[in-house]
Amino acid sequence: MVRRLWVIASLMALLCGALLVSGCVSSDADEAQTPESAQTAVNSALQTDEDGSTVAPDGAAPPPAEEEPGDGGEPPLEVDGDAAAGETVFASNCTACHLNNGLDGGGFGPQLAGQGLDAEYVTEVVTNGLNAMPAGIVSGDELTDVVAYVISLQ
């Protein structure tokens, strides 16, 4: 009986070894390439570097200053929303991309704190989206509250 178990165990070990070796074959370099016909997505979203500065995905300069908010020397618009409520909404909807509730850079979205954003621009971006940010993440009172929170970070 022991001898029979020994033979079965040996055959199983031999079979497992053969299966492992058969999986370790080299592949052709052409087979390992993405086919030219495969669809790919270009990352066109602005990113932030380790310092929190906005950079284009290819390392080029960010968009021209006229597209940047808050550069006209105008005071920020007053907002009607509740910044504390907006922080809660932001934490559940936005902080996955705008790290640490918008205080830090390095996520999919840029750092929002200290960027000179105004309420009109924030409302426009949240409503209509921009680059990788989808449109309409929040609306109504939540939108007003999120705008108030983002403006409180400026």
Side-chain angles (χ1 to χ4, degrees):
M1 181 73 171
V2 172
R3 187 173 188 206
R4 194 176 265 171
L5 288 175
W6 177 254
V7 170
I8 291 173
S10 297
L11 288 174
M12 291 298 287
L14 185 60
L15 179 63
C16 289
L19 290 173
L20 285 173
V21 170
S22 69
C24 297
V25 296
S26 63
S27 62
D28 184 10
D30 292 331
E31 292 175 3
Q33 300 296 318
T34 303
E36 289 183 25
S37 62
Q39 292 184 354
T40 58
V42 176
N43 181 2
S44 62
L46 293 177
Q47 305 293 312
T48 53
D49 62 13
E50 61 274 357
D51 299 324
S53 301
T54 304
V55 295
D58 61 359
E66 66 267 13
E67 294 181 21
E68 290 295 317
D71 64 350
E74 301 170 9
L77 297 174
E78 293 296 320
V79 292
D80 296 327
D82 178 358
E87 182 175 11
T88 302
V89 174
F90 191 98
S92 62
N93 292 285
C94 311
T95 199
C97 295
H98 300 281
L99 299 180
N100 192 20
N101 274 1
L103 299 173
D104 295 330
F108 288 112
Q111 174 181 332
L112 299 176
Q115 300 301 311
L117 304 174
D118 62 35
E120 183 178 349
Y121 179 79
V122 174
T123 302
E124 174 76 18
V125 170
V126 174
T127 302
N128 299 316
L130 178 68
N131 297 323
M133 183 171 163
I137 292 176
V138 295
S139 60
D141 289 340
E142 287 186 337
L143 171 61
T144 307
D145 293 343
V146 166
V147 171
Y149 171 69
V150 172
I151 296 307
S152 75
L153 299 176
Q154 302 314 304

